[in-house]
Amino acid sequence: MGSYLSALMMVLQPQNFIALFLCAIIGVILGAIPGLAGGMGITLILPLTFALDTDLSFCMLLGMYVGGVSGAFIASVLVGIPGSASAITTCYDGYPLTKKGKAAKALSIGITASFLGTFVSILVATFCSAPLANVALMLGPWEYFSLCFMAVSLVVGLGGRSIYRSLIGAFAGLFMATIGTDQITNQVRFTFGNYNLLGGISVISLLMGTFALQQVAMGYAKGQQEMPEVDAGSLGGFGLKLHDFTDNIKEIIMALLIGLGIGFLPGMGGGVANMIAYSQAKKSSKKPELFGTGHEAGVWVSEVSNNASVGGAIIPMIALGIPGDGTTVMLLSAMTIHGLQAGPMFIRTNPDLANLIFAAVLVAAVLVFVSELFTKRWFPLLLKAPYHYLYGAILMICFLGSFSSGTSMFGVYETIVFCLLGIVLLAFEIPVNCMMLSYILGQKLEYYFRLGCSYSYGSMAPFFTRPISCIFLLIGLYSLFAPVVKVLIKKVKAAN
């Protein structure tokens, strides 16, 4: 507790607090604008943290994270266009409430639900990460390999409409992870004589290209998005009473549990959490026909679940070194940039920073909640941001960031190549998150596999004979083959 209070005081220091607040507000703005999302904000400010203090850097990144996840519901409620995938189901009932003249109430539900999801989930993460890390310390390289394999398999099995496309993305990420100097034998692989690739592919260039620059290119190609007009006069007042919360308490608790659980699964995130929570709430409701017509419970469930995935995603990132969603991939990259190694030993070797992460998310949740309540009337102005100015600024930041990561133009060329790759993946409906997670975990997969084989004198038997490792492998294999088997069963039934 003393270490946590010390970390909280560190977050509340003027420079850290101001950076956290400003980045949280910027995250809300980016999250509210369809096509941008708060995750892009993390990508853009990541290069800016190179020369900054580690505490200040993570305050900025986590403020952007929390603000982006929370702000995504604004466009969903006001114009029926989700700010990101994590707010898709918010459109189903949020926008109908606005059309009924209840925009103020719908926004207040979204603000309160976002705060509850983030606040409760980060408290759970604060108390659960250390025990999970202690358990993880008892595992060997066999279990870590199987855990990483399971993480990649879960993303492949659940990450897209076609498992074959997801596999292509995963294999692309694993291949990119092998480029550069081998960390065990020091052999050079797949560099084709280019000394710029000796250290492997730049994480910054990969993130900038496949995420930020790709979104700008596709958005520009589709043309400027014109938003419908919103009646700002209907947004006054809080609009919520105590019974609005108590009447939906069952749905809120269910959404919290689903959000935490889905967030804990590697690579899933708020986009999956809100869909599952919404579907479950509709199934368990006594009046399922009300969902999609402006039902308040639908907004509660969607926003609580997608924000609860924040705390759920941070647990495996801190305790196991495995990202829980696409945004924690970037946070994990930030740790690497600052010379930190996430995993079971992270809480023991860096207790102050671990607690600072928990405290920063908690403070950011409070700041976003208060800020959104007081600025609710001005939300329609966020949707009027001119895209041509935004795209130009993002383009400039992308190239500056990729150049500064390696202080050479090669980083800029890499960014452009990865932007083209991202467009190709999008055209063929290959999930980019499969590639990103596989790239991040690729080196760990290889390292723990070779280490496990070395410890067992070349035998791969311990991967299957050690119970925990075997369980992880079976879950991973089930995730890979279950979709294929289900399709085959359907074809057989249809044929019969």
Side-chain angles (χ1 to χ4, degrees), residues 440-464:
I440 293 295
L441 295 180
Q443 290 184 345
K444 292 185 178 182
L445 270 169
E446 180 186 10
Y447 175 76
Y448 288 126
F449 177 75
R450 294 169 70 174
L451 196 62
C453 290
S454 176
Y455 284 177
S456 55
Y457 303 101
S459 172
M460 291 190 292
F463 290 103
F464 303 95

PDB file of all heavy atoms in Angstrom, residues 440-464:
ATOM      1  N   ILE A 440       4.942  -9.006 -31.796  1.00  0.00           N
ATOM      2  CA  ILE A 440       5.377  -8.689 -30.438  1.00  0.00           C
ATOM      3  C   ILE A 440       5.785  -9.956 -29.689  1.00  0.00           C
ATOM      4  O   ILE A 440       6.784  -9.973 -28.956  1.00  0.00           O
ATOM      5  CB  ILE A 440       4.256  -7.960 -29.681  1.00  0.00           C
ATOM      6  CG1 ILE A 440       4.000  -6.577 -30.300  1.00  0.00           C
ATOM      7  CG2 ILE A 440       4.598  -7.818 -28.200  1.00  0.00           C
ATOM      8  CD1 ILE A 440       5.150  -5.613 -30.179  1.00  0.00           C
ATOM      9  N   LEU A 441       5.021 -11.043 -29.878  1.00  0.00           N
ATOM     10  CA  LEU A 441       5.297 -12.282 -29.136  1.00  0.00           C
ATOM     11  C   LEU A 441       6.230 -13.227 -29.890  1.00  0.00           C
ATOM     12  O   LEU A 441       6.630 -14.245 -29.336  1.00  0.00           O
ATOM     13  CB  LEU A 441       3.983 -13.009 -28.835  1.00  0.00           C
ATOM     14  CG  LEU A 441       3.003 -12.288 -27.897  1.00  0.00           C
ATOM     15  CD1 LEU A 441       1.753 -13.130 -27.692  1.00  0.00           C
ATOM     16  CD2 LEU A 441       3.663 -12.003 -26.552  1.00  0.00           C
ATOM     17  N   GLY A 442       6.554 -12.886 -31.151  1.00  0.00           N
ATOM     18  CA  GLY A 442       7.367 -13.798 -31.965  1.00  0.00           C
ATOM     19  C   GLY A 442       8.723 -14.115 -31.362  1.00  0.00           C
ATOM     20  O   GLY A 442       9.140 -15.276 -31.295  1.00  0.00           O
ATOM     21  N   GLN A 443       9.427 -13.084 -30.884  1.00  0.00           N
ATOM     22  CA  GLN A 443      10.743 -13.311 -30.292  1.00  0.00           C
ATOM     23  C   GLN A 443      10.645 -14.126 -29.003  1.00  0.00           C
ATOM     24  O   GLN A 443      11.504 -14.964 -28.724  1.00  0.00           O
ATOM     25  CB  GLN A 443      11.429 -11.972 -30.032  1.00  0.00           C
ATOM     26  CG  GLN A 443      11.847 -11.240 -31.292  1.00  0.00           C
ATOM     27  CD  GLN A 443      12.618  -9.970 -30.991  1.00  0.00           C
ATOM     28  OE1 GLN A 443      12.622  -9.479 -29.875  1.00  0.00           O
ATOM     29  NE2 GLN A 443      13.286  -9.428 -32.007  1.00  0.00           N
ATOM     30  N   LYS A 444       9.599 -13.886 -28.220  1.00  0.00           N
ATOM     31  CA  LYS A 444       9.412 -14.674 -26.994  1.00  0.00           C
ATOM     32  C   LYS A 444       9.113 -16.128 -27.320  1.00  0.00           C
ATOM     33  O   LYS A 444       9.601 -17.039 -26.637  1.00  0.00           O
ATOM     34  CB  LYS A 444       8.270 -14.079 -26.161  1.00  0.00           C
ATOM     35  CG  LYS A 444       8.577 -12.714 -25.568  1.00  0.00           C
ATOM     36  CD  LYS A 444       7.450 -12.245 -24.664  1.00  0.00           C
ATOM     37  CE  LYS A 444       7.798 -10.902 -24.036  1.00  0.00           C
ATOM     38  NZ  LYS A 444       6.736 -10.427 -23.110  1.00  0.00           N
ATOM     39  N   LEU A 445       8.285 -16.345 -28.334  1.00  0.00           N
ATOM     40  CA  LEU A 445       7.985 -17.712 -28.744  1.00  0.00           C
ATOM     41  C   LEU A 445       9.262 -18.479 -29.096  1.00  0.00           C
ATOM     42  O   LEU A 445       9.494 -19.590 -28.618  1.00  0.00           O
ATOM     43  CB  LEU A 445       7.050 -17.699 -29.960  1.00  0.00           C
ATOM     44  CG  LEU A 445       5.545 -17.704 -29.706  1.00  0.00           C
ATOM     45  CD1 LEU A 445       4.811 -17.409 -31.002  1.00  0.00           C
ATOM     46  CD2 LEU A 445       5.100 -19.050 -29.155  1.00  0.00           C
ATOM     47  N   GLU A 446      10.094 -17.861 -29.928  1.00  0.00           N
ATOM     48  CA  GLU A 446      11.331 -18.521 -30.348  1.00  0.00           C
ATOM     49  C   GLU A 446      12.281 -18.712 -29.173  1.00  0.00           C
ATOM     50  O   GLU A 446      12.860 -19.794 -28.993  1.00  0.00           O
ATOM     51  CB  GLU A 446      12.004 -17.689 -31.439  1.00  0.00           C
ATOM     52  CG  GLU A 446      13.304 -18.315 -31.942  1.00  0.00           C
ATOM     53  CD  GLU A 446      14.038 -17.419 -32.924  1.00  0.00           C
ATOM     54  OE1 GLU A 446      13.647 -16.246 -33.082  1.00  0.00           O
ATOM     55  OE2 GLU A 446      15.022 -17.894 -33.514  1.00  0.00           O
ATOM     56  N   TYR A 447      12.420 -17.685 -28.354  1.00  0.00           N
ATOM     57  CA  TYR A 447      13.361 -17.745 -27.232  1.00  0.00           C
ATOM     58  C   TYR A 447      12.984 -18.852 -26.240  1.00  0.00           C
ATOM     59  O   TYR A 447      13.831 -19.671 -25.859  1.00  0.00           O
ATOM     60  CB  TYR A 447      13.404 -16.394 -26.532  1.00  0.00           C
ATOM     61  CG  TYR A 447      14.262 -16.373 -25.290  1.00  0.00           C
ATOM     62  CD1 TYR A 447      15.654 -16.339 -25.385  1.00  0.00           C
ATOM     63  CD2 TYR A 447      13.686 -16.390 -24.025  1.00  0.00           C
ATOM     64  CE1 TYR A 447      16.447 -16.331 -24.246  1.00  0.00           C
ATOM     65  CE2 TYR A 447      14.470 -16.383 -22.885  1.00  0.00           C
ATOM     66  CZ  TYR A 447      15.848 -16.349 -22.994  1.00  0.00           C
ATOM     67  OH  TYR A 447      16.619 -16.345 -21.866  1.00  0.00           O
ATOM     68  N   TYR A 448      11.714 -18.880 -25.840  1.00  0.00           N
ATOM     69  CA  TYR A 448      11.305 -19.884 -24.843  1.00  0.00           C
ATOM     70  C   TYR A 448      11.290 -21.290 -25.423  1.00  0.00           C
ATOM     71  O   TYR A 448      11.567 -22.262 -24.712  1.00  0.00           O
ATOM     72  CB  TYR A 448       9.923 -19.529 -24.288  1.00  0.00           C
ATOM     73  CG  TYR A 448       9.935 -18.335 -23.368  1.00  0.00           C
ATOM     74  CD1 TYR A 448       9.090 -17.244 -23.581  1.00  0.00           C
ATOM     75  CD2 TYR A 448      10.806 -18.275 -22.287  1.00  0.00           C
ATOM     76  CE1 TYR A 448       9.111 -16.145 -22.746  1.00  0.00           C
ATOM     77  CE2 TYR A 448      10.839 -17.170 -21.447  1.00  0.00           C
ATOM     78  CZ  TYR A 448       9.983 -16.112 -21.677  1.00  0.00           C
ATOM     79  OH  TYR A 448      10.015 -15.030 -20.843  1.00  0.00           O
ATOM     80  N   PHE A 449      10.999 -21.422 -26.717  1.00  0.00           N
ATOM     81  CA  PHE A 449      11.024 -22.751 -27.336  1.00  0.00           C
ATOM     82  C   PHE A 449      12.451 -23.305 -27.347  1.00  0.00           C
ATOM     83  O   PHE A 449      12.688 -24.453 -26.965  1.00  0.00           O
ATOM     84  CB  PHE A 449      10.486 -22.672 -28.764  1.00  0.00           C
ATOM     85  CG  PHE A 449      10.531 -23.978 -29.504  1.00  0.00           C
ATOM     86  CD1 PHE A 449       9.619 -24.982 -29.218  1.00  0.00           C
ATOM     87  CD2 PHE A 449      11.502 -24.214 -30.461  1.00  0.00           C
ATOM     88  CE1 PHE A 449       9.668 -26.202 -29.889  1.00  0.00           C
ATOM     89  CE2 PHE A 449      11.560 -25.417 -31.139  1.00  0.00           C
ATOM     90  CZ  PHE A 449      10.635 -26.416 -30.851  1.00  0.00           C
ATOM     91  N   ARG A 450      13.396 -22.476 -27.767  1.00  0.00           N
ATOM     92  CA  ARG A 450      14.785 -22.934 -27.830  1.00  0.00           C
ATOM     93  C   ARG A 450      15.358 -23.153 -26.436  1.00  0.00           C
ATOM     94  O   ARG A 450      16.135 -24.076 -26.204  1.00  0.00           O
ATOM     95  CB  ARG A 450      15.618 -21.917 -28.620  1.00  0.00           C
ATOM     96  CG  ARG A 450      15.189 -21.864 -30.073  1.00  0.00           C
ATOM     97  CD  ARG A 450      15.788 -20.688 -30.820  1.00  0.00           C
ATOM     98  NE  ARG A 450      17.212 -20.821 -31.047  1.00  0.00           N
ATOM     99  CZ  ARG A 450      17.920 -19.974 -31.781  1.00  0.00           C
ATOM    100  NH1 ARG A 450      17.307 -18.949 -32.352  1.00  0.00           N
ATOM    101  NH2 ARG A 450      19.207 -20.148 -31.935  1.00  0.00           N
ATOM    102  N   LEU A 451      14.946 -22.293 -25.489  1.00  0.00           N
ATOM    103  CA  LEU A 451      15.417 -22.456 -24.119  1.00  0.00           C
ATOM    104  C   LEU A 451      14.864 -23.742 -23.506  1.00  0.00           C
ATOM    105  O   LEU A 451      15.582 -24.489 -22.832  1.00  0.00           O
ATOM    106  CB  LEU A 451      14.975 -21.255 -23.273  1.00  0.00           C
ATOM    107  CG  LEU A 451      15.688 -21.050 -21.934  1.00  0.00           C
ATOM    108  CD1 LEU A 451      17.172 -20.796 -22.135  1.00  0.00           C
ATOM    109  CD2 LEU A 451      15.050 -19.878 -21.176  1.00  0.00           C
ATOM    110  N   GLY A 452      13.574 -24.028 -23.756  1.00  0.00           N
ATOM    111  CA  GLY A 452      12.967 -25.249 -23.236  1.00  0.00           C
ATOM    112  C   GLY A 452      13.619 -26.495 -23.817  1.00  0.00           C
ATOM    113  O   GLY A 452      13.883 -27.468 -23.099  1.00  0.00           O
ATOM    114  N   CYS A 453      13.892 -26.466 -25.123  1.00  0.00           N
ATOM    115  CA  CYS A 453      14.561 -27.610 -25.764  1.00  0.00           C
ATOM    116  C   CYS A 453      15.976 -27.776 -25.216  1.00  0.00           C
ATOM    117  O   CYS A 453      16.461 -28.903 -25.030  1.00  0.00           O
ATOM    118  CB  CYS A 453      14.600 -27.416 -27.271  1.00  0.00           C
ATOM    119  SG  CYS A 453      12.987 -27.566 -28.071  1.00  0.00           S
ATOM    120  N   SER A 454      16.655 -26.657 -24.949  1.00  0.00           N
ATOM    121  CA  SER A 454      18.012 -26.728 -24.410  1.00  0.00           C
ATOM    122  C   SER A 454      18.022 -27.336 -23.008  1.00  0.00           C
ATOM    123  O   SER A 454      18.861 -28.180 -22.694  1.00  0.00           O
ATOM    124  CB  SER A 454      18.627 -25.321 -24.371  1.00  0.00           C
ATOM    125  OG  SER A 454      19.910 -25.329 -23.770  1.00  0.00           O
ATOM    126  N   TYR A 455      17.070 -26.921 -22.166  1.00  0.00           N
ATOM    127  CA  TYR A 455      16.994 -27.451 -20.798  1.00  0.00           C
ATOM    128  C   TYR A 455      16.694 -28.943 -20.781  1.00  0.00           C
ATOM    129  O   TYR A 455      17.102 -29.656 -19.856  1.00  0.00           O
ATOM    130  CB  TYR A 455      15.915 -26.712 -20.005  1.00  0.00           C
ATOM    131  CG  TYR A 455      16.322 -25.335 -19.548  1.00  0.00           C
ATOM    132  CD1 TYR A 455      15.425 -24.513 -18.865  1.00  0.00           C
ATOM    133  CD2 TYR A 455      17.587 -24.809 -19.808  1.00  0.00           C
ATOM    134  CE1 TYR A 455      15.779 -23.236 -18.441  1.00  0.00           C
ATOM    135  CE2 TYR A 455      17.944 -23.546 -19.398  1.00  0.00           C
ATOM    136  CZ  TYR A 455      17.041 -22.762 -18.718  1.00  0.00           C
ATOM    137  OH  TYR A 455      17.393 -21.494 -18.305  1.00  0.00           O
ATOM    138  N   SER A 456      15.959 -29.416 -21.783  1.00  0.00           N
ATOM    139  CA  SER A 456      15.586 -30.842 -21.820  1.00  0.00           C
ATOM    140  C   SER A 456      16.456 -31.633 -22.792  1.00  0.00           C
ATOM    141  O   SER A 456      16.048 -32.699 -23.259  1.00  0.00           O
ATOM    142  CB  SER A 456      14.115 -30.980 -22.197  1.00  0.00           C
ATOM    143  OG  SER A 456      13.841 -30.324 -23.426  1.00  0.00           O
ATOM    144  N   TYR A 457      17.648 -31.072 -23.109  1.00  0.00           N
ATOM    145  CA  TYR A 457      18.640 -31.759 -23.958  1.00  0.00           C
ATOM    146  C   TYR A 457      18.072 -32.138 -25.333  1.00  0.00           C
ATOM    147  O   TYR A 457      18.260 -33.243 -25.828  1.00  0.00           O
ATOM    148  CB  TYR A 457      19.169 -33.007 -23.260  1.00  0.00           C
ATOM    149  CG  TYR A 457      19.783 -32.711 -21.919  1.00  0.00           C
ATOM    150  CD1 TYR A 457      19.074 -32.953 -20.748  1.00  0.00           C
ATOM    151  CD2 TYR A 457      21.061 -32.157 -21.809  1.00  0.00           C
ATOM    152  CE1 TYR A 457      19.622 -32.657 -19.505  1.00  0.00           C
ATOM    153  CE2 TYR A 457      21.617 -31.863 -20.567  1.00  0.00           C
ATOM    154  CZ  TYR A 457      20.894 -32.106 -19.426  1.00  0.00           C
ATOM    155  OH  TYR A 457      21.427 -31.815 -18.192  1.00  0.00           O
ATOM    156  N   GLY A 458      17.338 -31.205 -25.939  1.00  0.00           N
ATOM    157  CA  GLY A 458      16.834 -31.402 -27.286  1.00  0.00           C
ATOM    158  C   GLY A 458      15.475 -32.063 -27.362  1.00  0.00           C
ATOM    159  O   GLY A 458      14.906 -32.183 -28.457  1.00  0.00           O
ATOM    160  N   SER A 459      14.903 -32.452 -26.256  1.00  0.00           N
ATOM    161  CA  SER A 459      13.605 -33.128 -26.261  1.00  0.00           C
ATOM    162  C   SER A 459      12.475 -32.106 -26.160  1.00  0.00           C
ATOM    163  O   SER A 459      12.550 -31.145 -25.388  1.00  0.00           O
ATOM    164  CB  SER A 459      13.506 -34.104 -25.091  1.00  0.00           C
ATOM    165  OG  SER A 459      12.196 -34.623 -24.996  1.00  0.00           O
ATOM    166  N   MET A 460      11.414 -32.344 -26.936  1.00  0.00           N
ATOM    167  CA  MET A 460      10.236 -31.469 -26.864  1.00  0.00           C
ATOM    168  C   MET A 460       9.144 -32.053 -25.979  1.00  0.00           C
ATOM    169  O   MET A 460       8.070 -31.468 -25.843  1.00  0.00           O
ATOM    170  CB  MET A 460       9.679 -31.222 -28.274  1.00  0.00           C
ATOM    171  CG  MET A 460      10.584 -30.365 -29.141  1.00  0.00           C
ATOM    172  SD  MET A 460       9.798 -29.848 -30.694  1.00  0.00           S
ATOM    173  CE  MET A 460       9.688 -31.412 -31.536  1.00  0.00           C
ATOM    174  N   ALA A 461       9.431 -33.204 -25.364  1.00  0.00           N
ATOM    175  CA  ALA A 461       8.420 -33.872 -24.534  1.00  0.00           C
ATOM    176  C   ALA A 461       7.900 -33.007 -23.386  1.00  0.00           C
ATOM    177  O   ALA A 461       6.687 -33.029 -23.106  1.00  0.00           O
ATOM    178  CB  ALA A 461       8.990 -35.182 -23.998  1.00  0.00           C
ATOM    179  N   PRO A 462       8.749 -32.228 -22.681  1.00  0.00           N
ATOM    180  CA  PRO A 462       8.226 -31.433 -21.549  1.00  0.00           C
ATOM    181  C   PRO A 462       7.133 -30.441 -21.932  1.00  0.00           C
ATOM    182  O   PRO A 462       6.304 -30.085 -21.085  1.00  0.00           O
ATOM    183  CB  PRO A 462       9.471 -30.681 -21.045  1.00  0.00           C
ATOM    184  CG  PRO A 462      10.617 -31.541 -21.425  1.00  0.00           C
ATOM    185  CD  PRO A 462      10.227 -32.131 -22.751  1.00  0.00           C
ATOM    186  N   PHE A 463       7.103 -30.007 -23.192  1.00  0.00           N
ATOM    187  CA  PHE A 463       6.037 -29.097 -23.603  1.00  0.00           C
ATOM    188  C   PHE A 463       4.663 -29.766 -23.473  1.00  0.00           C
ATOM    189  O   PHE A 463       3.659 -29.091 -23.270  1.00  0.00           O
ATOM    190  CB  PHE A 463       6.238 -28.650 -25.053  1.00  0.00           C
ATOM    191  CG  PHE A 463       7.414 -27.731 -25.251  1.00  0.00           C
ATOM    192  CD1 PHE A 463       8.603 -28.202 -25.787  1.00  0.00           C
ATOM    193  CD2 PHE A 463       7.324 -26.395 -24.898  1.00  0.00           C
ATOM    194  CE1 PHE A 463       9.687 -27.368 -25.972  1.00  0.00           C
ATOM    195  CE2 PHE A 463       8.407 -25.540 -25.075  1.00  0.00           C
ATOM    196  CZ  PHE A 463       9.588 -26.032 -25.609  1.00  0.00           C
ATOM    197  N   PHE A 464       4.647 -31.103 -23.595  1.00  0.00           N
ATOM    198  CA  PHE A 464       3.377 -31.833 -23.542  1.00  0.00           C
ATOM    199  C   PHE A 464       3.180 -32.575 -22.227  1.00  0.00           C
ATOM    200  O   PHE A 464       2.040 -32.850 -21.839  1.00  0.00           O
ATOM    201  CB  PHE A 464       3.315 -32.836 -24.709  1.00  0.00           C
ATOM    202  CG  PHE A 464       3.475 -32.193 -26.056  1.00  0.00           C
ATOM    203  CD1 PHE A 464       4.722 -32.145 -26.671  1.00  0.00           C
ATOM    204  CD2 PHE A 464       2.392 -31.626 -26.703  1.00  0.00           C
ATOM    205  CE1 PHE A 464       4.875 -31.548 -27.916  1.00  0.00           C
ATOM    206  CE2 PHE A 464       2.534 -31.028 -27.943  1.00  0.00           C
ATOM    207  CZ  PHE A 464       3.786 -30.983 -28.542  1.00  0.00           C
TER     208      PHE A 464
END
